[in-house]
Structure formats: C-alpha cells, structure tokens
Amino acid sequence: MKHKIKHIINRYRYFFILFIAGLALLVYDFELGANSFRLTGLNMLDMISILPPTFILLGLLDVWVDKALMIKLTGEGSGLKGAVIAFLLGSLAAGPLYAAFPIAAVMLKKQSKFSNVIIFIGAWSTTKVPMLMFETASMGVKFTLLRFFLNLPVIILIAVITEKMLSKREKTEIYGKAEKL
Amino acid sequence: MIFSIVFYIITAVLFVISLKKDRLKTKAALHKAWKSFENILPQILTVLMLIGIMLTLLSPETISLLLGKDSGWFGVASASIIGSVTLIPGFIAFPLASALLKSGAGYMQIAAFVSTLMMVGVITIPMEVKFFGKKATLIRNSFAFGFSIMIAIIIGLVLE
C-alpha cells in the first residue's frame, strides 16, 4: 500500500509541483492565480471533450487492425503508398496534437515504418482538413493554400531527417516502448 | 465544436459495429483505451497546469505588443517562441491571428506564430517523450521550429 502511494506520487510529481506553483501564484496575486486555474479548467473541458473518442478509437484500432494489415499499409516496404496513407490518416483527424501521440504509439506497436509515423504526426499537426477549412475562413484562401503547400515537403523532410538521425538501436527502443503501452 | 460532434458520431458508429461483431474484442478495446489513458494522465495534467500558468503570464496584450508590424526579425523570433510554447486550439488561434493582422501585425510574424503553434509543442514535450523518447522528440521539434521560420519568411515575402 505504502509502495503504491509512493508510486502514484512519483508519477504525478510534476503535476503536484505545478499545482503548488499555481497556488503560490494565487497567494502572490489572487487574480493572476485564479486566471491560471480558470484557463487550466477551460482547457481541461476542451480535452475531456476530445479524449474519450480518441482513446476509444485507438482501442478499437488496436483490437481490429492486426499487425499484418498495418505492416502491409504503412510498414517497411510500403513505399510511397504507405507515406500517402499515413498522411491521409493524420489529415483526416480531429483534435489537438497531443491526441495524436497515443495513436502514433499504436501504429508503432503494429510495426508501421518509423518515418510514416512521423508523417502521420506532421499531417495531424498541420494539414488537418477541419482546421484547414477554419483557417481559410479566418486567414483567407491565399494564406491557407500557401502554408499548406509549403508544409507538405516540410512534413516529409522532418520525417526523413528524424528517421535518418536515429540509430537502429534507438528506433528499436521506441518500438519497444510502444509495445509496453 | 461541429468537428467534435462528428468525431463522436464516427466513434460511436464504429463502437456499435465492433460490439455487434465481437463483444469480447470490444471489451478488450475499452480496456486498452482506459489503460493508455491512465498511462498518459500524469503528463496530461502537467500540460494542463502549464497551459494555465503560461497563458496567464502571456496575455493577448503582451502577444500583440511583441508581434507589431515594425517588430521585424525580433517580431518573427518572438512569434516563433510564443507559438512554440503556447498551446492554443485552432479555433482560437486563427481568429486571434486574423485580428492581429488587422490591427497591424505583419504577415511574416503571424505566419511564424501559426506555423510554430501547429508544429512545435514545447509544452507537450513530456507527452511526446513518453512515446518517442528524448532524441526523436528533440529532433522533430527543432526541425519543425527551423522549417516554421523558413515557411514564415516565404509567406511574408509573398503576401507582404
């Protein structure tokens, strides 16, 4: 029991430290502190609205899409087709970038090619279709299209660079990490 | 908002199909969903606290002060840093960016802000490290930062 409590405190230590920092801000300047907790609360509501479907989807993905299919679609040797599929998967998503990480982990677990997982993350962060529509509405077509076409090569470049800069051992470690999640 | 609703509907439909096809597998999926959620919960809570404190200290007034039209390179640099360390959802960021443009901010600065906001996530690094390890996270974020500035320069040159 004692061990379990210690484990929980250890896992949540950064949260506790920041929570205390927030309380300190509250004491130092009540309005600033209250505002920071209000913003945390608002963002939490935002997160709560998007997280349940995200995690249920990744659970379903994990159970229904078997390794063989994922390897065939986006694994080593899937070539251009794999990159395009990873790009489309990321672009069709909804939700903030942090929601992409657990899904990326499932892709890793199913042996997607590493660069394709990074392409997925890149597409999720910058070329999500719902967000592009919203961007067009407030920034105009010209800005949105320009940014979109500049971002396409960048997404691929970042994926290739990240893949190349990691050693085989480092990649194996990341795949091993995903396996344990 | 509408996207969240669509997302929920899609998830619900898939969930029902899954349930109809195989009860046990669906149960396993829910179990996995919960396990992955609980696994990342400490990082999520940390990020939420960070967002509150950071956004309080960086008010909209501060942001517009730093990104003014005549802020030049300093403006691009501060825009990139602000975009990297904040986590503002698109439906707030784009109207904010468009308002800033109308009130005199430059295209280059705004593009730098929007681009880094999307691609670089300093606040979410604890979560990213948890899945990808320190090195891959560092590589992805640094290159995303560099390329964002390049994209901003091109957008600025084309649109200004």
Side-chain angles (χ1 to χ4, degrees), chain A residues 56-90:
Chain A
I56 289 177
L57 266 187
L58 82 84
L60 292 174
L61 184 74
D62 203 349
V63 179
W64 287 106
V65 179
D66 64 355
K67 220 175 229 173
L69 181 63
M70 189 65 104
I71 291 175
K72 203 178 132 211
L73 290 176
T74 60
E76 292 290 341
S78 61
L80 185 64
K81 186 196 72 189
V84 170
I85 289 175
F87 178 81
L88 289 179
L89 270 179

Side-chain angles (χ1 to χ4, degrees), chain B residues 17-88:
Chain B
I17 295 173
S18 168
L19 201 62
K20 280 237 157 96
K21 275 191 130 172
D22 192 328
R23 269 191 100 84
L24 279 179
K25 261 191 167 177
T26 310
K27 215 176 147 194
L30 281 185
H31 181 72
K32 280 189 178 176
W34 172 253
K35 233 182 83 194
S36 344
F37 172 70
E38 207 278 327
N39 187 39
I40 195 72
L41 191 60
Q43 280 77 15
I44 290 178
L45 288 173
T46 305
V47 166
L48 282 172
M49 281 306 298
L50 259 181
I51 293 172
I53 295 172
M54 296 279 321
L55 278 186
T56 298
L57 301 179
L58 280 175
S59 64
E61 293 80 37
T62 322
I63 294 179
S64 32
L65 183 81
L66 291 169
L67 311 184
K69 202 174 204 162
D70 305 315
S71 53
W73 287 110
F74 173 75
V76 173
S78 27
S80 313
I81 292 168
I82 294 171
S84 302
V85 299
T86 48
L87 197 110
I88 311 171

Side-chain angles (χ1 to χ4, degrees), chain A residues 4-16, chain B residues 42:
Chain A
K4 216 175 166 186
I5 292 172
K6 220 173 160 181
H7 180 68
I8 290 174
I9 291 178
N10 192 38
R11 278 187 68 208
Y12 287 86
R13 64 184 182 281
Y14 293 113
F15 167 68
F16 288 132

